[in-house]
Amino acid sequence: MANLTSMSGFLLMGFSDNRELQILHALLFLVTYLLALTGNLLIITVTSLDHRLQSPMYYFLKHLSLLDLFFISVTVPQSIANSLMNNGYISHGQCILQVFFFTALASSEVAILTVMSYDRYVAICRPLQYETIMNSFACRQAVTAVWLAGGLSGLMHTAVNFSIPLCGERVIHQFFCDIPQMLKLACPHELINEIAMAAFTTSAAFICLVSIMLSYVHIFSTVLKIPSAEGQTKVFATCLPHLFVVTFFLSTAGFEFLRPPSDSQSAMDLMFSIFYTVIPPTLNPAIYGLRNEAMKAALQKVLSKGEFAQRKIYLKAIFKF
């Protein structure tokens, strides 16, 4: 540790010093990462290839899957490599990139979830105006704003966080360069800029959460007026998991970022970090896309085409012989 912390980089402590537990952690993270990659790549592929899935809802879902794909790739592969090599060192440049992409993609994810809730609000509460409000130009503008807002947030957090002088050892009690953990290394009198940035980010996240809640309140109040019990069940089965994912993501991230810092690291801190870094990108494909009947039908169609193409190539190879 002395040799590592004397360098310009940081030492990520991860989950355990026990070699067997490190291997177990790497395997669990690898399985989770592969599940997240598979689910999100399936949604991106299906929504890109199937002409029936070109509505705004699936357009936003494709960008959510892109964000999830990048988001989980920022932290998990590095953590797997560190555990397998029994080396928690991460260079200063790698840590800067990790903080930038993590905050940028997390901010973009909150923004795209807000846009998706508004899309559902317009579709259910104002169906006659849906095509006018959610036209292709408006959708492209919304997605562009989502990515730009995330990039701006990442730049501001990275610039402020790495401009603060460090007074402690370069040891981060986390499996990635987590801003709350890095702030424990900063000189106490230099934190005013980061506190202001955290207040701004928290206010923006709170506004997004309130907007999402208002959208779903209007949706549920409209759905309760539907005479068909089957229609109510269908909408509730779709919207309630969405609301749960948003609340889960923002509440766990908010708890980690807003709670008072402590000098010791507990298992709960690591668990909460998994809740907002690993679980949402893994579960989002199942909750937002793969439970959808249209998505299931399109997925079966794409997979059957791929299987047919493989069989055709195989038969051609046989007949050549």
Side-chain angles (χ1 to χ4, degrees):
M1 183 182 295
N3 290 335
L4 289 173
T5 54
S6 64
M7 301 172 69
S8 61
F10 298 89
L11 183 64
L12 302 176
M13 294 304 293
F15 292 90
S16 175
D17 293 330
N18 184 282
R19 189 62 186 147
E20 288 75 17
L21 291 178
Q22 287 178 341
I23 298 297
L24 178 61
H25 153 250
L27 291 175
L28 290 175
F29 263 35
L30 179 60
V31 171
T32 305
Y33 184 59
L34 292 176
L35 287 173
L37 287 184
T38 303
N40 287 295
L41 284 174
L42 282 175
I43 289 180
I44 293 168
T45 303
V46 170
T47 53
S48 299
L49 295 180
D50 198 303
H51 66 278
R52 296 171 300 176
L53 302 180
Q54 303 304 313
S55 66
M57 180 179 74
Y58 297 108
Y59 178 69
F60 296 137
L61 180 59
K62 177 167 66 176
H63 282 272
L64 175 65
S65 294
L66 277 171
L67 287 167
D68 282 335
L69 194 63
F70 297 146
F71 185 62
I72 197 170
S73 298
V74 170
T75 57
V76 171
Q78 177 75 50
S79 181
I80 294 173
N82 289 347
S83 294
L84 292 177
M85 294 186 296
N86 194 22
N87 182 3
Y89 176 75
I90 183 171
S91 69
H92 189 79
Q94 286 177 308
C95 196
I96 290 175
L97 290 175
Q98 201 171 67
V99 168
F100 167 73
F101 284 111
F102 181 83
T103 52
L105 293 167
S107 301
S108 294
E109 181 134 350
V110 174
I112 196 71
L113 290 172
T114 307
V115 172
M116 291 174 71
S117 68
Y118 179 73
D119 171 71
R120 291 298 83 204
Y121 158 73
V122 177
I124 295 173
C125 302
R126 304 171 66 180
L128 299 179
Q129 300 173 294
Y130 182 74
E131 292 186 3
T132 303
I133 296 174
M134 303 304 296
N135 57 70
S136 58
F137 178 71
C139 292
R140 286 194 298 270
Q141 280 189 317
V143 167
T144 302
V146 164
W147 287 93
L148 288 177
L152 183 61
S153 175
L155 282 174
M156 291 191 299
H157 272 287
T158 305
V160 171
N161 189 70
F162 287 93
S163 65
I164 300 174
L166 302 182
C167 292
E169 289 186 334
R170 292 174 172 266
V171 178
I172 300 175
H173 294 277
Q174 191 56 270
F175 66 92
F176 66 102
C177 288
D178 191 23
I179 289 180
Q181 295 297 324
M182 294 186 68
L183 291 180
K184 295 179 182 180
L185 314 180
C187 302
H189 59 280
E190 299 285 351
L191 290 177
I192 186 64
N193 290 334
E194 183 59 38
I195 292 173
M197 180 59 63
F200 173 77
T201 304
T202 303
S203 301
F206 181 73
I207 292 172
C208 288
L209 179 61
V210 170
S211 301
I212 292 169
M213 292 294 185
L214 289 175
S215 294
Y216 280 109
V217 166
H218 286 293
I219 288 171
F220 293 147
S221 62
T222 302
V223 168
L224 290 174
K225 298 175 184 177
I226 299 176
S228 170
E230 182 180 353
Q232 290 182 358
T233 303
K234 185 176 180 181
V235 175
F236 279 123
T238 303
C239 293
L240 285 176
H242 296 184
L243 188 59
F244 169 77
V245 168
V246 174
T247 307
F248 182 80
F249 177 69
L250 289 177
S251 59
T252 52
F255 173 83
E256 180 65 18
F257 277 78
L258 296 179
R259 69 187 184 87
S262 61
D263 295 331
S264 60
Q265 179 74 355
S266 65
M268 184 176 292
D269 296 320
L270 291 168
M271 188 63 65
F272 269 96
S273 66
I274 293 176
F275 284 161
Y276 66 83
T277 58
V278 179
I279 292 179
T282 307
L283 293 184
N284 280 349
I287 292 177
Y288 281 94
L290 300 180
R291 294 172 66 252
N292 184 288
E293 293 300 327
M295 284 288 298
K296 288 180 182 178
L299 181 60
Q300 290 175 354
K301 183 179 177 182
V302 170
L303 292 178
S304 63
K305 280 185 176 181
E307 184 179 356
F308 175 77
Q310 290 178 355
R311 288 180 179 177
K312 190 174 180 181
I313 293 171
Y314 179 72
L315 290 173
K316 282 183 178 181
I318 292 177
F319 283 124
K320 281 182 180 179
F321 287 104

